[in-house]
Each structure stands twice: as C-alpha cells, then as structure tokens.
Amino acid sequence: MSTPIVMPEAGESVVSGVLTAWTKDDGAWVERDETVAEIETDKITVEVMAPAAGVLKRAAGEGDDIEVGSAIGEIDESAEKPAGAPASESKPAEASANGSGGGTATAAPPKTEAKPGDKPAPKPEAKPQATPEPAPSSNGTARATPLAKKLAEDNKIDLASVQGTGVGGRVREQDVVAYMQSGGSGKAAPSGASGSGPSRATSVERMSPLRQKVASRLVEAQQTAAMLTTFNECDMNAVMDLRKKHKDAFGDKHGIGLGFMSFFVKAVTNALQQFPKINSYIVAGEDGKPSIQGHDYQDVAIAVSSPKGLVVPVIRNAESMSFAEIEKAIKDFGTRAKDGKLSLDEMTGGTFTITNGGVFGSLISTPILNPPQSAILGMHGIKKRAVEHPEGSGEIALRPMMYLALSYDHRIVDGAEAVQFLVSIKESIEDPARLMLDL
C-alpha cells in the first residue's frame, strides 16, 4: 500500500510553488509527520510532512514547479523498516558506506539472517540515489540545484568537491562550471585559449517565487498608484540620549534591547491617529467604484531582509503595545525571517509599512508602496551634519541627523497631509516625551 505525498494548502492565494529541497533520500525510511521536503511559494516556505511511515519514493525533483494538491512522491507503507535503523535516520547508508564499526554495523547482519522477511534491509547499503548529493563539507551539508546535479553527473564530477556559492552553501550550475574551468581547484580559471585574460562567463539563476512576487507587487504599486515622496530630517540626539540613559535598566527589566525602531513605530501610530487617511486603503465599493476603507487600528508592517528576499511581517495593533513589546516582536520577526519560519498570516494585512535602509548604509531613498497600503516610511542612516541648533538661534552645531522619506498614494492622501504626517513623526522623535504623554 502506498500513500501519496501532496503539496498542502499554503494560503488562499497560493496555487503553486517550487520544490527547493528534499530533506530525505529516495528509498529512505521515514516516520509519519517527519519532514521530507521543502516547497517555496511566493509568500512562505512550506514543509511537507510524510503522511505515513514507510519508504520514501520520490516523483519530483528539486527545482520542479508543484501545484497545490499535486503529488511529489509517495510512501510505501508495505515496506519493512530496516533492521537497526533509528526512527529519525534519514541516511542509513552512511554508517556502512564509510566503513565505520559501531553497534549498528555489527547488529544488522544477524537480524537480517534471523528474519528472512527483512529483505528491504540491505537497500540502504546500495543506494545510488544518495551519491549525487553533496557530502558534508567545511561549509556544512551542501545541496545542489537540479542543473548543477545534471552537469556534475554528465561530467563525472563529485559534487562534494565543489564549493557552493548559493544560499546555505547550495551548489549552483555556475559553481560546477567554475570547478571544471579551474581543473578541480574550485576557483574559476581565466577564459580564453591561452589561459590568460579576464573571465567573460555568464550565469542564469531562476528567480525564486518570493522574489517574483515582490517584483510583481512593486510594479503594481508603480503602475496603479499616484505615488509621490516627501522628505524631512530629524535630530536623533534626544532619542539617542534617552536610549543611552535607560538601555541597561530597560534590558534588565524586559530582557530585550532598546532600539530606535520602537520609537519610530510609536511615532507612526501616533501620527496615523492624527491622519487616518494615511492608514486607509482604496478598495472597490459595492457599486464597483473606488471607495476608502478606513481602519480604527494601526497594523504596522516592518520590512525585514531575509536570505530569500524582502518580507514584511506585521505588528498587529501596534498602537496598544509598549516599547518592550514592540522590540520583542521585531526581534522575533527578524530571527524567524532568517530561518524562513514566518507564516503567511504574519505577512498580510498591514495598514502601514516602515522600512529601514539605514541599517545597510542608505543615506536617502524613495521607498515604494506596499499595496494596498497608502503610505510607507523610509528611515535612513544617522549622520552628523552641520545644522542650526537650537532652532532660530543662528548657531551652527554638529548634530546626529536622519533623513526621513514618506512615499504616499496621492489618490487618497493630499500633499499637505503627507507633509504634516512626516512633521508629526519628526516632532515625536526630536521630543520623545510627546510619545509618553500621547501628544
């Protein structure tokens, strides 16, 4: 009896994904609910679980497009569990292949002889399927793209010897090409018949579903919204002094560091309450004509960089959260974004977005709207600049300044509102007491 392994539902708008990795070998014994594969959609990475215990039989390869509900393989429930193999063992051939001793290697033969029905037991020892997979190396257990595997197989190259440059050490097609050009050293040799001159090699890498989705949404924003950007600058000295004075006590009490982002989130929610249209969407009304959908809450999305691209997890009801709660939420999002553990629900439904290019050294930029939202705030690097201080004094002083950029949809937000909104944020940052007093 065999049970198919199908791609599960991953959200209402998700219809397909790309099989990025098998986490179990073909022919390996797996337990029920054990992760056997990972499928990347345009929003999240889905872990595919074994529907039953048995022997895994793959039907799809890494890099294949998989539709929701379609089978990527099956579990042979009628197969016998290999003797002596632990339930969580994903590569039972490794112990015998490397010639090591140990209890598993010596205990297996007697059990096989005593139980003739255990015929599948020798299978793991002769698993040619495991050969194309890269062996553990200095950068961890590498994996390879389908094109890289095919190229390596055609040229009889051991992928374990190829240095991967993809995410997590993944071996790409160009890595195999570079390995061949270098004569096996792993470093690309110069192109040309004489072996001299600069390389003119090219490479093509498939765009991930997440990157495709981000690209389509950015184009959508530029094509559908009347997008403008207004700029201002704020003096970060007051926030920096407040943070320096209380960061130790804050960390001791709440178990989290006090960063700049919580100040900006609080400043944004305060400003959104003053200018509710900036917290609104343009939607189709019952008559099909454009209408304005308002929100009596502020769900602030925070743009986070992840290995697979930009994601924007949402802090729900940010207006009711404390500084410590905001900091903990942001740290949690950042950690899980790097591990690809954010859920679809956590990345949908924001009413406003904050993006911080300053962490990468950006001095100024024009952020693009995150549809269907009407505005996005861009933070930038803090630089000491000569400005008038105190204001109106005629005196010049070096102050830690940050440029702020607000991109907004002019169809729903007037220029005056956008400017005043940004001024409200500036005032809150330059005088943090306003945030404590809800001014």
Side-chain angles (χ1 to χ4, degrees):
M1 176 182 174
S2 295
T3 302
I5 306 170
V6 301
M7 176 179 171
E9 294 284 343
E12 186 176 338
S13 61
V14 177
V15 296
S16 66
V18 174
L19 179 58
T20 55
W22 282 100
T23 59
K24 294 291 179 179
D25 288 333
D26 193 27
W29 177 270
V30 297
E31 297 292 341
R32 179 184 175 88
D33 294 330
E34 193 172 3
T35 301
V36 295
E38 294 179 352
I39 296 179
E40 183 181 335
T41 73
D42 59 7
K43 291 189 171 103
I44 59 173
T45 297
V46 180
E47 291 186 343
V48 182
M49 309 295 186
V55 172
L56 170 65
K57 294 183 178 179
R58 299 180 184 178
E62 293 181 355
D64 289 354
D65 289 312
I66 310 296
E67 294 185 359
V68 171
S70 61
I72 62 172
E74 61 182 26
I75 299 296
D76 183 2
E77 297 181 63
S78 62
E80 292 286 341
K81 183 176 180 179
S88 59
E89 183 66 55
S90 60
K91 295 184 180 180
E94 291 178 1
S96 56
N98 61 17
S100 62
T104 303
T106 56
K111 289 186 177 180
T112 303
E113 293 173 9
K115 293 179 65 180
D118 287 343
K119 291 180 180 179
K123 265 188 179 180
E125 297 184 11
K127 279 199 311 183
Q129 297 91 338
T131 303
E133 293 287 343
S137 61
S138 60
N139 64 342
T141 302
R143 290 196 293 265
T145 65
L147 286 177
K149 290 180 179 179
K150 181 68 167 57
L151 187 60
E153 182 179 356
D154 292 344
N155 290 276
K156 296 182 173 55
I157 294 174
D158 181 7
L159 279 173
S161 303
V162 181
Q163 180 68 38
T165 61
V167 177
R170 189 178 179 86
V171 177
R172 302 182 297 170
E173 179 187 10
Q174 51 266 47
D175 298 328
V176 180
V177 173
Y179 182 85
M180 291 189 294
Q181 290 177 341
S182 68
S185 68
K187 298 181 180 179
S191 61
S194 63
S196 62
S199 171
R200 291 180 54 80
T202 61
S203 63
V204 177
E205 185 176 359
R206 181 174 182 170
M207 187 179 284
S208 70
L210 176 60
R211 179 63 64 185
Q212 292 179 48
K213 185 64 174 180
V214 169
S216 66
R217 286 177 66 83
L218 296 181
V219 172
E220 175 193 348
Q222 290 189 312
Q223 292 179 340
T224 61
M227 192 170 68
L228 294 178
T229 304
T230 184
F231 300 91
N232 211 318
E233 62 180 355
C234 63
D235 188 331
M236 296 293 294
N237 191 72
V239 166
M240 293 171 73
D241 283 349
L242 186 65
R243 180 169 173 258
K244 182 178 180 180
K245 181 178 180 180
H246 298 291
K247 66 176 183 179
D248 290 338
F250 185 90
D252 291 341
K253 180 175 181 179
H254 301 291
I256 189 75
L258 179 60
F260 294 127
M261 188 62 79
S262 54
F263 286 93
F264 279 93
V265 171
K266 296 297 286 186
V268 161
T269 58
N270 187 47
L272 288 175
Q273 292 171 26
Q274 298 176 53
F275 303 95
K277 279 190 178 179
I278 298 178
N279 197 47
S280 303
Y281 298 161
I282 291 181
V283 297
E286 294 181 359
D287 57 359
K289 296 182 179 180
S291 299
I292 297 175
Q293 175 183 308
H295 308 95
D296 61 359
Y297 52 86
Q298 287 82 52
D299 285 354
V300 180
I302 306 295
V304 178
S305 177
S306 76
K308 294 182 179 179
L310 188 71
V311 293
V312 279
V314 180
I315 302 176
R316 310 288 179 187
N317 287 105
E319 76 283 354
S320 64
M321 297 175 68
S322 67
F323 280 78
E325 290 172 332
I326 293 171
E327 291 291 352
K328 289 177 181 178
I330 293 172
K331 181 179 180 180
D332 175 57
F333 285 153
T335 300
R336 290 192 290 122
K338 291 178 181 178
D339 297 334
K341 300 299 183 182
L342 290 172
S343 69
L344 182 58
D345 289 342
E346 289 175 314
M347 294 188 286
T348 55
T351 60
F352 186 90
T353 296
I354 300 177
T355 179
N356 184 9
V359 297
F360 301 108
S362 173
L363 181 62
I364 194 167
S365 66
T366 55
I368 299 178
L369 295 177
N370 181 17
Q373 297 170 22
S374 299
I376 178 173
L377 175 70
M379 298 166 55
H380 300 92
I382 301 172
K383 302 292 182 181
K384 284 188 176 181
R385 295 199 298 275
V387 297
E388 184 184 35
H389 181 80
E391 187 174 350
S393 67
E395 299 291 331
I396 300 298
L398 281 178
R399 306 288 290 180
M401 306 297 293
M402 176 191 287
Y403 285 123
L404 301 177
L406 180 76
S407 293
Y408 60 98
D409 190 344
H410 210 343
R411 295 177 301 168
I412 186 173
V413 179
D414 293 332
E417 287 180 296
V419 171
Q420 293 176 75
F421 177 86
L422 202 51
V423 167
S424 174
I425 294 175
K426 168 186 169 71
E427 292 175 345
S428 294
I429 296 300
E430 293 185 341
D431 184 8
R434 297 175 64 90
L435 298 175
M436 318 302 174
L437 300 175
D438 194 23
L439 297 178

